[in-house]
Amino acid sequence: MYLWLKAFHVISVISWMAVLFYLPRLFVYHVENKDKKEFVSVVKTMEYKLHKFIGIPAFWATVLSGLGLIFLNPEIFKTGGWIHVKLTAAVLLIIYYIHTAYLRRKLEKDLCDKSGKFFRIYNEIPTILMIVIVVMVIVKPF
């Protein structure tokens, strides 16, 4: 059962990461083309559907399966400091995702004052956190 749950967790993470990588890219297109009403309308629809129909289910699948893995194997906390760093990075990803939902709502209402440059830099945060998580899980450096 544990390995099936682990496989489901990895699949969920991949789906969620796709949203974390693409949604801020849509934000770049959104703010850099705000004078093109029809284009922005399409991007708003894409942002909404990506968040609602892929992001939210993938987020919950990731979090719940991750908690399930911890519940089934609480001894993992005795395997080294890597798990603490990995979980810290995962919590930061959760905070980032919640913030993207907040920004999406602001963009939807045309109330966001962030620039394309901001969103280009903002888009790098999940990549950095993903690298930390993968290194911790695979290499287990400490």
Side-chain angles (χ1 to χ4, degrees):
M1 163 105 170
Y2 184 81
L3 291 178
W4 282 103
L5 184 58
K6 192 181 222 181
F8 179 74
H9 181 68
V10 171
I11 292 165
S12 300
V13 168
I14 292 168
S15 299
W16 186 40
M17 290 305 300
V19 173
L20 292 173
F21 292 147
Y22 191 52
L23 191 57
R25 173 55 50 184
L26 288 174
F27 295 167
V28 171
Y29 302 146
H30 188 139
V31 299
E32 289 184 352
N33 294 282
K34 59 184 163 193
D35 57 326
K36 300 174 186 165
K37 298 293 183 196
E38 289 181 29
F39 180 81
V40 169
S41 176
V42 170
V43 172
K44 283 181 180 182
T45 300
M46 292 171 68
E47 291 165 352
Y48 173 79
K49 288 182 177 181
L50 180 64
H51 172 70
K52 179 155 178 107
F53 298 117
I54 300 172
I56 292 172
F59 165 78
W60 283 111
T62 298
V63 170
L64 294 175
S65 61
L67 290 172
L69 290 169
I70 291 170
F71 176 78
L72 291 174
N73 184 20
E75 298 294 311
I76 198 163
F77 290 105
K78 296 178 182 177
T79 62
W82 69 271
I83 188 67
H84 301 283
V85 175
K86 184 254 187 186
L87 290 174
T88 299
V91 167
L92 291 173
L93 269 180
I94 291 168
I95 293 166
Y96 177 87
Y97 180 64
I98 292 167
H99 191 247
T100 63
Y102 167 77
L103 291 171
R104 189 201 63 77
R105 284 190 304 276
K106 285 192 77 160
L107 284 162
E108 184 177 49
K109 297 174 184 174
D110 299 320
L111 298 175
C112 186
D113 61 353
K114 305 293 185 199
S115 68
K117 183 177 181 180
F118 169 84
F119 283 119
R120 288 177 192 281
I121 294 167
Y122 183 79
N123 194 38
E124 300 306 320
I125 294 170
T127 302
I128 294 164
L129 292 170
M130 184 249 339
I131 290 168
V132 169
I133 290 168
V134 170
V135 169
M136 290 302 117
V137 171
I138 303 299
V139 179
K140 296 180 176 73
F142 47 87

